[in-house]
Amino acid sequence: MSLAEASEARKARLTALRKRKAGEAVDNDGVVEPLIKNRNFDPESRTLRKHAQDDVVMQDTVENKVKGLAEQIIADDEKRRAQELDVFNIAPKRPNWDLKREMDKKLAKLERRTQESIHTLIRQRLAAQKGDSDDLVGAMEAQERQNASGALSDEDED
């Protein structure tokens, strides 16, 4: 077979293939016949075919997974709308919780300072009752009293 004959045979096969894809049947004589496609007709039983259930039903598709989801969301929404809107459920139980949260840091510092000042006042009152005081003069007087009371107790022992 020569190259020219091979190319002619190939061209004929390609044209036949194109026509077959286009929906026409080609005989060996070159006569074009329409291709019969039996989509809805079963030639063996000579009856109309109902939609074939041979189609593969995929189990894990998005549509199958969310099939009941829309109805469920609608039902939940209707339940929420059916519930009465209660003002007490909306308002916080402690209306000033945010103010307390902001003030806690400042109050902690003030509490510490308050405790320190209370301790200072108590020390001053105790020192005043004993006769001691925080100033230099009061300290010298307290020292003299201790020395005097110490001297009296030494005399009692002799």
Side-chain angles (χ1 to χ4, degrees):
M1 192 169 186
S2 70
L3 288 175
E5 292 173 355
S7 69
E8 289 297 322
R10 186 168 188 274
K11 283 182 185 178
R13 284 193 313 265
L14 288 174
T15 56
L17 181 64
R18 277 190 215 114
K19 288 182 180 180
R20 193 175 334 141
K21 281 187 177 181
E24 300 173 349
V26 178
D27 287 343
N28 292 338
D29 301 336
V31 178
V32 177
E33 296 178 6
L35 183 64
I36 298 174
K37 295 181 182 177
N38 296 320
R39 292 185 185 142
N40 296 329
F41 181 73
D42 186 15
E44 294 175 4
S45 65
R46 296 201 164 274
T47 58
L48 290 176
R49 243 187 253 176
K50 294 190 178 182
H51 295 289
Q53 296 180 355
D54 298 337
D55 297 337
V56 177
V57 178
M58 299 181 81
Q59 297 297 326
D60 55 345
T61 61
V62 176
E63 289 83 9
N64 288 341
K65 288 184 180 179
V66 297
K67 186 177 273 185
L69 189 62
E71 291 84 12
Q72 182 182 3
I73 291 172
I74 291 170
D76 290 342
D77 188 41
E78 288 176 2
K79 287 179 185 177
R80 282 193 206 120
R81 288 183 184 182
Q83 292 176 351
E84 290 185 27
L85 183 63
D86 191 12
V87 177
F88 293 111
N89 291 338
I90 295 173
K93 294 177 182 171
R94 298 180 300 166
N96 59 353
W97 67 271
D98 56 340
L99 297 174
K100 287 183 179 180
R101 182 191 65 205
E102 296 295 324
M103 295 301 294
D104 280 341
K105 294 175 186 174
K106 295 176 183 177
L107 286 175
K109 290 179 185 177
L110 289 176
E111 182 67 27
R112 183 174 44 89
R113 288 183 183 172
T114 304
Q115 291 297 327
E116 289 175 2
S117 60
I118 290 172
H119 292 299
T120 305
L121 288 172
I122 292 173
R123 283 189 208 115
Q124 287 176 356
R125 285 186 186 168
L126 291 174
Q129 287 177 356
K130 290 182 182 178
D132 298 339
S133 70
D134 289 340
D135 59 346
L136 186 57
V137 175
M140 289 174 57
E141 290 176 5
Q143 185 67 30
E144 288 175 5
R145 282 188 210 142
Q146 283 181 349
N147 289 342
S149 65
L152 291 175
S153 63
D154 286 343
E155 291 175 3
D156 291 338
E157 289 177 7
D158 287 336

PDB file of all heavy atoms in Angstrom, residues 117-147:
ATOM      1  N   SER A 117      -3.198  53.237 105.728  1.00  0.00           N
ATOM      2  CA  SER A 117      -3.502  54.425 106.534  1.00  0.00           C
ATOM      3  C   SER A 117      -4.210  54.032 107.842  1.00  0.00           C
ATOM      4  O   SER A 117      -3.979  54.656 108.885  1.00  0.00           O
ATOM      5  CB  SER A 117      -4.349  55.415 105.736  1.00  0.00           C
ATOM      6  OG  SER A 117      -5.555  54.821 105.360  1.00  0.00           O
ATOM      7  N   ILE A 118      -5.039  52.997 107.815  1.00  0.00           N
ATOM      8  CA  ILE A 118      -5.687  52.530 109.048  1.00  0.00           C
ATOM      9  C   ILE A 118      -4.645  52.012 110.027  1.00  0.00           C
ATOM     10  O   ILE A 118      -4.688  52.320 111.232  1.00  0.00           O
ATOM     11  CB  ILE A 118      -6.745  51.448 108.723  1.00  0.00           C
ATOM     12  CG1 ILE A 118      -7.944  52.079 108.014  1.00  0.00           C
ATOM     13  CG2 ILE A 118      -7.195  50.711 109.977  1.00  0.00           C
ATOM     14  CD1 ILE A 118      -8.949  51.081 107.483  1.00  0.00           C
ATOM     15  N   HIS A 119      -3.668  51.244 109.530  1.00  0.00           N
ATOM     16  CA  HIS A 119      -2.603  50.734 110.402  1.00  0.00           C
ATOM     17  C   HIS A 119      -1.786  51.880 110.993  1.00  0.00           C
ATOM     18  O   HIS A 119      -1.413  51.850 112.172  1.00  0.00           O
ATOM     19  CB  HIS A 119      -1.694  49.770 109.636  1.00  0.00           C
ATOM     20  CG  HIS A 119      -2.354  48.485 109.258  1.00  0.00           C
ATOM     21  ND1 HIS A 119      -2.849  47.603 110.181  1.00  0.00           N
ATOM     22  CD2 HIS A 119      -2.621  47.940 108.041  1.00  0.00           C
ATOM     23  CE1 HIS A 119      -3.383  46.568 109.564  1.00  0.00           C
ATOM     24  NE2 HIS A 119      -3.259  46.757 108.257  1.00  0.00           N
ATOM     25  N   THR A 120      -1.530  52.897 110.197  1.00  0.00           N
ATOM     26  CA  THR A 120      -0.774  54.055 110.693  1.00  0.00           C
ATOM     27  C   THR A 120      -1.546  54.764 111.801  1.00  0.00           C
ATOM     28  O   THR A 120      -0.971  55.136 112.841  1.00  0.00           O
ATOM     29  CB  THR A 120      -0.492  55.032 109.535  1.00  0.00           C
ATOM     30  OG1 THR A 120       0.175  54.333 108.491  1.00  0.00           O
ATOM     31  CG2 THR A 120       0.376  56.186 109.998  1.00  0.00           C
ATOM     32  N   LEU A 121      -2.846  54.955 111.603  1.00  0.00           N
ATOM     33  CA  LEU A 121      -3.660  55.618 112.634  1.00  0.00           C
ATOM     34  C   LEU A 121      -3.703  54.792 113.916  1.00  0.00           C
ATOM     35  O   LEU A 121      -3.630  55.354 115.027  1.00  0.00           O
ATOM     36  CB  LEU A 121      -5.085  55.851 112.116  1.00  0.00           C
ATOM     37  CG  LEU A 121      -5.245  56.930 111.048  1.00  0.00           C
ATOM     38  CD1 LEU A 121      -6.670  56.913 110.506  1.00  0.00           C
ATOM     39  CD2 LEU A 121      -4.911  58.292 111.619  1.00  0.00           C
ATOM     40  N   ILE A 122      -3.814  53.487 113.790  1.00  0.00           N
ATOM     41  CA  ILE A 122      -3.839  52.636 114.986  1.00  0.00           C
ATOM     42  C   ILE A 122      -2.519  52.722 115.732  1.00  0.00           C
ATOM     43  O   ILE A 122      -2.486  52.821 116.973  1.00  0.00           O
ATOM     44  CB  ILE A 122      -4.174  51.173 114.593  1.00  0.00           C
ATOM     45  CG1 ILE A 122      -5.617  51.101 114.114  1.00  0.00           C
ATOM     46  CG2 ILE A 122      -3.946  50.225 115.754  1.00  0.00           C
ATOM     47  CD1 ILE A 122      -6.013  49.754 113.542  1.00  0.00           C
ATOM     48  N   ARG A 123      -1.408  52.698 114.988  1.00  0.00           N
ATOM     49  CA  ARG A 123      -0.087  52.832 115.646  1.00  0.00           C
ATOM     50  C   ARG A 123       0.035  54.166 116.376  1.00  0.00           C
ATOM     51  O   ARG A 123       0.580  54.236 117.475  1.00  0.00           O
ATOM     52  CB  ARG A 123       1.023  52.705 114.597  1.00  0.00           C
ATOM     53  CG  ARG A 123       1.283  51.292 114.167  1.00  0.00           C
ATOM     54  CD  ARG A 123       2.533  51.206 113.294  1.00  0.00           C
ATOM     55  NE  ARG A 123       2.410  50.088 112.398  1.00  0.00           N
ATOM     56  CZ  ARG A 123       2.328  50.131 111.083  1.00  0.00           C
ATOM     57  NH1 ARG A 123       2.392  51.299 110.471  1.00  0.00           N
ATOM     58  NH2 ARG A 123       2.190  49.049 110.369  1.00  0.00           N
ATOM     59  N   GLN A 124      -0.453  55.230 115.742  1.00  0.00           N
ATOM     60  CA  GLN A 124      -0.367  56.553 116.387  1.00  0.00           C
ATOM     61  C   GLN A 124      -1.218  56.590 117.655  1.00  0.00           C
ATOM     62  O   GLN A 124      -0.797  57.145 118.676  1.00  0.00           O
ATOM     63  CB  GLN A 124      -0.830  57.643 115.404  1.00  0.00           C
ATOM     64  CG  GLN A 124       0.167  57.921 114.303  1.00  0.00           C
ATOM     65  CD  GLN A 124      -0.373  58.939 113.302  1.00  0.00           C
ATOM     66  OE1 GLN A 124      -1.516  59.371 113.389  1.00  0.00           O
ATOM     67  NE2 GLN A 124       0.483  59.308 112.367  1.00  0.00           N
ATOM     68  N   ARG A 125      -2.394  55.998 117.653  1.00  0.00           N
ATOM     69  CA  ARG A 125      -3.240  55.990 118.844  1.00  0.00           C
ATOM     70  C   ARG A 125      -2.605  55.175 119.959  1.00  0.00           C
ATOM     71  O   ARG A 125      -2.634  55.578 121.131  1.00  0.00           O
ATOM     72  CB  ARG A 125      -4.616  55.421 118.526  1.00  0.00           C
ATOM     73  CG  ARG A 125      -5.485  56.381 117.766  1.00  0.00           C
ATOM     74  CD  ARG A 125      -6.874  55.840 117.602  1.00  0.00           C
ATOM     75  NE  ARG A 125      -7.654  56.721 116.737  1.00  0.00           N
ATOM     76  CZ  ARG A 125      -8.811  56.415 116.217  1.00  0.00           C
ATOM     77  NH1 ARG A 125      -9.356  55.239 116.473  1.00  0.00           N
ATOM     78  NH2 ARG A 125      -9.456  57.264 115.467  1.00  0.00           N
ATOM     79  N   LEU A 126      -2.030  54.021 119.602  1.00  0.00           N
ATOM     80  CA  LEU A 126      -1.362  53.219 120.622  1.00  0.00           C
ATOM     81  C   LEU A 126      -0.156  53.947 121.193  1.00  0.00           C
ATOM     82  O   LEU A 126       0.109  53.902 122.411  1.00  0.00           O
ATOM     83  CB  LEU A 126      -0.938  51.861 120.047  1.00  0.00           C
ATOM     84  CG  LEU A 126      -2.081  50.889 119.717  1.00  0.00           C
ATOM     85  CD1 LEU A 126      -1.506  49.654 119.032  1.00  0.00           C
ATOM     86  CD2 LEU A 126      -2.826  50.510 120.975  1.00  0.00           C
ATOM     87  N   ALA A 127       0.586  54.615 120.329  1.00  0.00           N
ATOM     88  CA  ALA A 127       1.751  55.369 120.799  1.00  0.00           C
ATOM     89  C   ALA A 127       1.314  56.534 121.693  1.00  0.00           C
ATOM     90  O   ALA A 127       1.981  56.857 122.683  1.00  0.00           O
ATOM     91  CB  ALA A 127       2.560  55.889 119.614  1.00  0.00           C
ATOM     92  N   ALA A 128       0.191  57.164 121.364  1.00  0.00           N
ATOM     93  CA  ALA A 128      -0.301  58.273 122.183  1.00  0.00           C
ATOM     94  C   ALA A 128      -0.772  57.764 123.543  1.00  0.00           C
ATOM     95  O   ALA A 128      -0.605  58.451 124.563  1.00  0.00           O
ATOM     96  CB  ALA A 128      -1.436  58.998 121.462  1.00  0.00           C
ATOM     97  N   GLN A 129      -1.340  56.566 123.585  1.00  0.00           N
ATOM     98  CA  GLN A 129      -1.779  56.015 124.863  1.00  0.00           C
ATOM     99  C   GLN A 129      -0.596  55.667 125.746  1.00  0.00           C
ATOM    100  O   GLN A 129      -0.643  55.840 126.964  1.00  0.00           O
ATOM    101  CB  GLN A 129      -2.637  54.760 124.636  1.00  0.00           C
ATOM    102  CG  GLN A 129      -4.009  55.069 124.099  1.00  0.00           C
ATOM    103  CD  GLN A 129      -4.792  53.796 123.811  1.00  0.00           C
ATOM    104  OE1 GLN A 129      -4.268  52.702 123.953  1.00  0.00           O
ATOM    105  NE2 GLN A 129      -6.038  53.971 123.405  1.00  0.00           N
ATOM    106  N   LYS A 130       0.482  55.189 125.149  1.00  0.00           N
ATOM    107  CA  LYS A 130       1.686  54.875 125.915  1.00  0.00           C
ATOM    108  C   LYS A 130       2.488  56.137 126.201  1.00  0.00           C
ATOM    109  O   LYS A 130       3.363  56.111 127.050  1.00  0.00           O
ATOM    110  CB  LYS A 130       2.576  53.912 125.133  1.00  0.00           C
ATOM    111  CG  LYS A 130       2.031  52.514 125.012  1.00  0.00           C
ATOM    112  CD  LYS A 130       3.017  51.649 124.254  1.00  0.00           C
ATOM    113  CE  LYS A 130       2.501  50.260 124.062  1.00  0.00           C
ATOM    114  NZ  LYS A 130       3.434  49.437 123.278  1.00  0.00           N
ATOM    115  N   GLY A 131       2.168  57.176 125.489  1.00  0.00           N
ATOM    116  CA  GLY A 131       2.935  58.400 125.658  1.00  0.00           C
ATOM    117  C   GLY A 131       3.996  58.532 124.584  1.00  0.00           C
ATOM    118  O   GLY A 131       4.745  59.498 124.560  1.00  0.00           O
ATOM    119  N   ASP A 132       4.098  57.576 123.733  1.00  0.00           N
ATOM    120  CA  ASP A 132       5.070  57.654 122.645  1.00  0.00           C
ATOM    121  C   ASP A 132       4.434  58.423 121.495  1.00  0.00           C
ATOM    122  O   ASP A 132       3.235  58.448 121.329  1.00  0.00           O
ATOM    123  CB  ASP A 132       5.446  56.259 122.130  1.00  0.00           C
ATOM    124  CG  ASP A 132       6.096  55.425 123.222  1.00  0.00           C
ATOM    125  OD1 ASP A 132       6.583  56.027 124.174  1.00  0.00           O
ATOM    126  OD2 ASP A 132       6.088  54.178 123.100  1.00  0.00           O
ATOM    127  N   SER A 133       5.246  59.012 120.700  1.00  0.00           N
ATOM    128  CA  SER A 133       4.747  59.629 119.478  1.00  0.00           C
ATOM    129  C   SER A 133       5.813  59.492 118.406  1.00  0.00           C
ATOM    130  O   SER A 133       6.952  59.137 118.693  1.00  0.00           O
ATOM    131  CB  SER A 133       4.383  61.100 119.698  1.00  0.00           C
ATOM    132  OG  SER A 133       5.544  61.855 119.898  1.00  0.00           O
ATOM    133  N   ASP A 134       5.442  59.800 117.214  1.00  0.00           N
ATOM    134  CA  ASP A 134       6.352  59.602 116.094  1.00  0.00           C
ATOM    135  C   ASP A 134       7.398  60.710 115.999  1.00  0.00           C
ATOM    136  O   ASP A 134       8.440  60.499 115.381  1.00  0.00           O
ATOM    137  CB  ASP A 134       5.569  59.537 114.769  1.00  0.00           C
ATOM    138  CG  ASP A 134       4.771  58.245 114.674  1.00  0.00           C
ATOM    139  OD1 ASP A 134       5.129  57.305 115.398  1.00  0.00           O
ATOM    140  OD2 ASP A 134       3.815  58.188 113.869  1.00  0.00           O
ATOM    141  N   ASP A 135       7.155  61.836 116.625  1.00  0.00           N
ATOM    142  CA  ASP A 135       8.144  62.914 116.487  1.00  0.00           C
ATOM    143  C   ASP A 135       9.307  62.708 117.454  1.00  0.00           C
ATOM    144  O   ASP A 135       9.286  61.876 118.355  1.00  0.00           O
ATOM    145  CB  ASP A 135       7.479  64.282 116.707  1.00  0.00           C
ATOM    146  CG  ASP A 135       6.847  64.409 118.074  1.00  0.00           C
ATOM    147  OD1 ASP A 135       6.700  63.364 118.737  1.00  0.00           O
ATOM    148  OD2 ASP A 135       6.501  65.525 118.465  1.00  0.00           O
ATOM    149  N   LEU A 136      10.357  63.481 117.299  1.00  0.00           N
ATOM    150  CA  LEU A 136      11.602  63.312 118.047  1.00  0.00           C
ATOM    151  C   LEU A 136      11.411  63.623 119.531  1.00  0.00           C
ATOM    152  O   LEU A 136      11.926  62.910 120.390  1.00  0.00           O
ATOM    153  CB  LEU A 136      12.684  64.223 117.453  1.00  0.00           C
ATOM    154  CG  LEU A 136      14.085  64.094 118.010  1.00  0.00           C
ATOM    155  CD1 LEU A 136      14.573  62.676 117.859  1.00  0.00           C
ATOM    156  CD2 LEU A 136      15.013  65.061 117.339  1.00  0.00           C
ATOM    157  N   VAL A 137      10.627  64.654 119.814  1.00  0.00           N
ATOM    158  CA  VAL A 137      10.413  65.039 121.212  1.00  0.00           C
ATOM    159  C   VAL A 137       9.669  63.936 121.956  1.00  0.00           C
ATOM    160  O   VAL A 137      10.020  63.576 123.098  1.00  0.00           O
ATOM    161  CB  VAL A 137       9.638  66.372 121.284  1.00  0.00           C
ATOM    162  CG1 VAL A 137       9.302  66.734 122.718  1.00  0.00           C
ATOM    163  CG2 VAL A 137      10.409  67.477 120.613  1.00  0.00           C
ATOM    164  N   GLY A 138       8.656  63.389 121.339  1.00  0.00           N
ATOM    165  CA  GLY A 138       7.897  62.321 121.971  1.00  0.00           C
ATOM    166  C   GLY A 138       8.759  61.094 122.192  1.00  0.00           C
ATOM    167  O   GLY A 138       8.630  60.406 123.215  1.00  0.00           O
ATOM    168  N   ALA A 139       9.641  60.795 121.255  1.00  0.00           N
ATOM    169  CA  ALA A 139      10.518  59.641 121.398  1.00  0.00           C
ATOM    170  C   ALA A 139      11.475  59.837 122.569  1.00  0.00           C
ATOM    171  O   ALA A 139      11.757  58.900 123.324  1.00  0.00           O
ATOM    172  CB  ALA A 139      11.297  59.412 120.097  1.00  0.00           C
ATOM    173  N   MET A 140      11.995  61.079 122.751  1.00  0.00           N
ATOM    174  CA  MET A 140      12.926  61.355 123.857  1.00  0.00           C
ATOM    175  C   MET A 140      12.207  61.243 125.202  1.00  0.00           C
ATOM    176  O   MET A 140      12.752  60.694 126.160  1.00  0.00           O
ATOM    177  CB  MET A 140      13.535  62.743 123.706  1.00  0.00           C
ATOM    178  CG  MET A 140      14.533  62.790 122.547  1.00  0.00           C
ATOM    179  SD  MET A 140      15.150  64.426 122.203  1.00  0.00           S
ATOM    180  CE  MET A 140      15.840  64.908 123.736  1.00  0.00           C
ATOM    181  N   GLU A 141      10.968  61.725 125.273  1.00  0.00           N
ATOM    182  CA  GLU A 141      10.205  61.621 126.511  1.00  0.00           C
ATOM    183  C   GLU A 141       9.918  60.163 126.854  1.00  0.00           C
ATOM    184  O   GLU A 141       9.996  59.766 128.026  1.00  0.00           O
ATOM    185  CB  GLU A 141       8.887  62.389 126.392  1.00  0.00           C
ATOM    186  CG  GLU A 141       9.061  63.893 126.359  1.00  0.00           C
ATOM    187  CD  GLU A 141       7.744  64.620 126.141  1.00  0.00           C
ATOM    188  OE1 GLU A 141       6.683  63.933 126.106  1.00  0.00           O
ATOM    189  OE2 GLU A 141       7.766  65.832 125.993  1.00  0.00           O
ATOM    190  N   ALA A 142       9.594  59.354 125.869  1.00  0.00           N
ATOM    191  CA  ALA A 142       9.334  57.945 126.116  1.00  0.00           C
ATOM    192  C   ALA A 142      10.588  57.256 126.610  1.00  0.00           C
ATOM    193  O   ALA A 142      10.527  56.413 127.517  1.00  0.00           O
ATOM    194  CB  ALA A 142       8.833  57.275 124.824  1.00  0.00           C
ATOM    195  N   GLN A 143      11.742  57.644 126.083  1.00  0.00           N
ATOM    196  CA  GLN A 143      13.007  57.051 126.527  1.00  0.00           C
ATOM    197  C   GLN A 143      13.294  57.430 127.978  1.00  0.00           C
ATOM    198  O   GLN A 143      13.733  56.587 128.771  1.00  0.00           O
ATOM    199  CB  GLN A 143      14.149  57.527 125.611  1.00  0.00           C
ATOM    200  CG  GLN A 143      15.481  56.897 125.905  1.00  0.00           C
ATOM    201  CD  GLN A 143      15.500  55.402 125.587  1.00  0.00           C
ATOM    202  OE1 GLN A 143      14.798  54.941 124.698  1.00  0.00           O
ATOM    203  NE2 GLN A 143      16.265  54.656 126.349  1.00  0.00           N
ATOM    204  N   GLU A 144      13.027  58.672 128.335  1.00  0.00           N
ATOM    205  CA  GLU A 144      13.247  59.110 129.707  1.00  0.00           C
ATOM    206  C   GLU A 144      12.323  58.365 130.667  1.00  0.00           C
ATOM    207  O   GLU A 144      12.735  57.987 131.763  1.00  0.00           O
ATOM    208  CB  GLU A 144      13.012  60.614 129.828  1.00  0.00           C
ATOM    209  CG  GLU A 144      14.093  61.437 129.172  1.00  0.00           C
ATOM    210  CD  GLU A 144      13.771  62.931 129.202  1.00  0.00           C
ATOM    211  OE1 GLU A 144      12.743  63.328 129.819  1.00  0.00           O
ATOM    212  OE2 GLU A 144      14.514  63.686 128.584  1.00  0.00           O
ATOM    213  N   ARG A 145      11.077  58.122 130.278  1.00  0.00           N
ATOM    214  CA  ARG A 145      10.142  57.398 131.128  1.00  0.00           C
ATOM    215  C   ARG A 145      10.602  55.971 131.356  1.00  0.00           C
ATOM    216  O   ARG A 145      10.501  55.447 132.466  1.00  0.00           O
ATOM    217  CB  ARG A 145       8.756  57.390 130.513  1.00  0.00           C
ATOM    218  CG  ARG A 145       8.027  58.683 130.697  1.00  0.00           C
ATOM    219  CD  ARG A 145       6.577  58.533 130.232  1.00  0.00           C
ATOM    220  NE  ARG A 145       6.120  59.816 129.744  1.00  0.00           N
ATOM    221  CZ  ARG A 145       5.342  60.033 128.723  1.00  0.00           C
ATOM    222  NH1 ARG A 145       4.907  59.014 128.030  1.00  0.00           N
ATOM    223  NH2 ARG A 145       4.975  61.232 128.376  1.00  0.00           N
ATOM    224  N   GLN A 146      11.105  55.366 130.274  1.00  0.00           N
ATOM    225  CA  GLN A 146      11.597  54.002 130.428  1.00  0.00           C
ATOM    226  C   GLN A 146      12.805  53.959 131.346  1.00  0.00           C
ATOM    227  O   GLN A 146      12.938  53.072 132.187  1.00  0.00           O
ATOM    228  CB  GLN A 146      11.965  53.398 129.050  1.00  0.00           C
ATOM    229  CG  GLN A 146      10.761  52.952 128.242  1.00  0.00           C
ATOM    230  CD  GLN A 146      11.186  52.342 126.908  1.00  0.00           C
ATOM    231  OE1 GLN A 146      12.345  52.439 126.523  1.00  0.00           O
ATOM    232  NE2 GLN A 146      10.229  51.730 126.231  1.00  0.00           N
ATOM    233  N   ASN A 147      13.689  54.938 131.192  1.00  0.00           N
ATOM    234  CA  ASN A 147      14.863  54.984 132.062  1.00  0.00           C
ATOM    235  C   ASN A 147      14.447  55.213 133.525  1.00  0.00           C
ATOM    236  O   ASN A 147      15.009  54.605 134.435  1.00  0.00           O
ATOM    237  CB  ASN A 147      15.813  56.092 131.618  1.00  0.00           C
ATOM    238  CG  ASN A 147      16.508  55.749 130.301  1.00  0.00           C
ATOM    239  OD1 ASN A 147      16.547  54.589 129.897  1.00  0.00           O
ATOM    240  ND2 ASN A 147      17.037  56.765 129.629  1.00  0.00           N
TER     241      ASN A 147
END
